[in-house]
Amino acid sequence: FYDKLEVLRDFLAKSQGKARDARDLEAGVSWLLWMLGFSVAHLGGTDKTQNAPDLIAATPRGNFAAIECTTGLLKAENKLALLVDRTEALRRRLEASGNRHLHVLPVIVTSKAREEVKADLEQAEKLGIVVLTRESLEEALKRTLVLPDAEALFAEGEAAQAAQAKYQSAALPFAGA
């Protein structure tokens, strides 16, 4: 079954930076997340929803991931700042609807290898954004062979996001001064 996912694997490997490649990557990530047990809304494919995340994925318990996809660098076209803004907008909507208890995880997906985006990783981490690279996508494809567990994947993303705390504590003044 894994070897037969050629179209999906092709979509996830898009890295030319062309608009069509970016749309294919969004579709591929959407399909992959669905296969992993998430409910996914693909918002990035239309002009009327360009101010929303490319994808919103929900776990069975109702937690959300706001996802931006790129075939380029993470900071290109202000993607990191836009993702933070869109994630906060989603959080505000959840709070306004009485769902403050639900978590929202910002995620940026790139078809580039981790080595190619290493210059942007620290900034993403400081912002609390989970970064998925080509290697992450390949690993996720392998996980489709077992029973999907969106909750476990979401928890892994939250654990990765916890790295943001080291930057926040570093900004605090020394208590003994």
Side-chain angles (χ1 to χ4, degrees), residues 149-165:
D149 189 350
E151 296 298 343
L153 289 168
F154 191 86
E156 287 176 28
E158 284 188 315
Q161 185 186 40
Q164 177 187 27

Side-chain angles (χ1 to χ4, degrees), residues 69-85:
C69 298
T70 182
T71 56
L73 298 174
L74 306 183
K75 291 197 248 182
E77 300 173 33
N78 227 9
K79 289 239 180 223
L80 295 176
L82 285 171
L83 179 55
V84 169
D85 183 56

Side-chain angles (χ1 to χ4, degrees), residues 29 45 52-53 57 59 64 67 80 89 106 108 114 130 135 141 148 158 162 174:
V29 171
T59 69
F64 293 92
I67 303 165
L80 295 176
I108 190 161
R114 188 165 191 82
V130 175
E135 296 87 351
L141 268 173
E158 284 188 315
F174 180 63

